[in-house]
Amino acid sequence: MSNFYQRVRRAINLSASDDQRVGDGDEGGRDAVRTDGGVVSEDSRNPGSEPGVLDRLAAGIDGRLGSDFLESSIFWIPPFLLMGLFVYGAVIWNFLISLTDYQRFANAPDYSNLDFEMYTRALADSGFIDAAVNTFILLVAFTAGTLAVGLILAILIDRGIRFENSFRTIYLLPMSLSFVVTAQFWLWIYNFNNGIANRVIGVFGLGPISWLGDQNIVLWAVIFALMWQFSGYAMVVYLAGLRAIPDEHYEAAKVDGASTLKMYWRVIIPQLKGATISAAVVLMVFGMKAFDFLYSLVGGYRPPNGADILATKMVREAYANLNWAYGAAIAIVLFAMALGVIGPYLVYEYRRNNL
């Protein structure tokens, strides 16, 4: 279509230039019209002419990025510049601060002597190592557990249970709550004296357990609370994937004599690969942002022993200890972890021509 419009514009321009030359008495213009009714192209009249640098550049951009790339630049350049300044510019500035020894507010950062001392300090800091290990455990356990619970709920709802819409609303409702509300809710549940969790296990002669005071189980208590909040999201993603699978696949598996368990394990679940990847990426990003939940859980920058993650340590170093450079270095490590999660996903979507 774009080639058609280019031919039309060229024909109009040639026609206008020929008319002008004819009107001015230019014999060359009359000679440019062939006797068979055709029009001699501009390149044939000027065999030595070549497209200019700007024309070649525009043609190269159109060929690589599409014919409407330059025409649409007036719409995407302003937000692109704003995003580059306030997001990526801030990331670059944060990285420069991490290469200094900036702390407190006594002096401005000194950019004349940049080094990786803060990253070396982080690798030698046992608190950083513990926070990194806790972050990794939280991401893996929270993501895997949430996906498993969401898949089970989606399969149950997809099989047409009664009150399907009501159950879907109940399971999805926790995701609409903020981390602050969720933290207060589970703070009451985990209460040592009157919490519901200890009352329930007390029926079986267990407990009471200090869910937030025992460093061996506090991280798992946090992970369980986050799973409760986001399992509804995984359920919706998987439910959409299940509803997109044709009924013929279920019928073919039944004809082959596959049981319900084998049908889902070998036929249905492998077709949910795209839903699993997209949901896992979103859940990992939410897991990295669990600072709000932990801060609201204890009302401070220091979470319970055993539940410290990189996000809480970063904020504590920057705002409680005023070690700005060290906090910036931890922030860059978190940014690299986020890229490690999102980068492969973008490559996967690009290879599937979804970007």
Side-chain angles (χ1 to χ4, degrees), residues 228-249:
W228 172 84
Q229 183 169 14
F230 289 99
S231 59
Y233 166 77
M235 177 201 68
V236 171
V237 174
Y238 277 129
L239 187 60
L242 289 172
R243 297 288 169 85
I245 298 176
D247 295 336
E248 289 79 4
H249 295 193

Side-chain angles (χ1 to χ4, degrees), residues 291 294-295 298-304 308-309 311-321:
F291 165 80
L294 290 172
Y295 181 88
V298 298
Y301 294 140
R302 179 69 189 184
D308 196 17
I309 60 176
T312 55
K313 184 171 179 58
M314 173 195 68
V315 176
R316 187 169 64 253
E317 291 292 342
Y319 294 99
N321 302 331

Side-chain angles (χ1 to χ4, degrees), residues 85-210:
L85 176 62
F86 292 104
V87 177
Y88 302 108
V91 172
I92 295 174
W93 188 24
N94 186 84
F95 176 69
L96 291 177
I97 293 178
S98 70
L99 300 179
T100 66
D101 57 353
Y102 183 45
Q103 58 182 350
R104 304 188 180 278
F105 291 105
N107 299 306
D110 183 12
Y111 301 107
S112 61
N113 186 18
L114 303 179
D115 52 38
F116 292 92
E117 178 184 356
M118 294 301 162
Y119 296 93
T120 304
R121 173 182 172 182
L123 295 177
D125 184 1
S126 59
F128 174 85
I129 300 299
D130 293 340
V133 172
N134 291 338
T135 302
F136 180 79
I137 294 175
L138 186 147
L139 291 180
V140 174
F142 162 66
T143 303
T146 304
L147 291 176
V149 174
L151 178 61
I152 294 173
L153 294 177
I155 291 175
L156 292 177
I157 293 179
D158 184 60
R159 295 184 64 84
I161 62 175
R162 296 183 60 184
F163 309 110
E164 173 186 340
N165 294 331
S166 299
F167 280 116
R168 188 188 310 175
T169 303
I170 292 173
Y171 293 136
L172 189 60
L173 181 62
M175 188 183 173
S176 63
L177 305 177
S178 67
F179 275 143
V180 177
V181 176
T182 304
Q184 293 299 315
F185 179 74
W186 283 94
L187 187 62
W188 298 331
I189 292 179
Y190 288 146
N191 185 272
F192 182 80
N193 296 320
N194 302 313
I196 298 177
N198 280 332
R199 288 181 177 272
V200 170
I201 65 175
V203 176
F204 302 96
L206 302 176
I209 298 175
S210 179

Side-chain angles (χ1 to χ4, degrees), residues 228-298:
W228 172 84
Q229 183 169 14
F230 289 99
S231 59
Y233 166 77
M235 177 201 68
V236 171
V237 174
Y238 277 129
L239 187 60
L242 289 172
R243 297 288 169 85
I245 298 176
D247 295 336
E248 289 79 4
H249 295 193
Y250 295 89
E251 297 174 357
K254 293 179 180 178
V255 170
D256 291 339
S259 62
T260 302
L261 182 60
K262 289 184 177 180
M263 177 184 66
Y264 277 99
W265 181 254
R266 297 183 178 181
V267 179
I268 305 303
I269 293 180
Q271 299 185 60
L272 299 176
K273 178 181 177 181
T276 301
I277 293 176
S278 60
V281 171
V282 174
L283 291 174
M284 285 187 179
V285 172
F286 275 116
M288 292 182 186
K289 298 165 57 179
F291 165 80
D292 299 355
F293 179 83
L294 290 172
Y295 181 88
S296 302
L297 198 64
V298 298

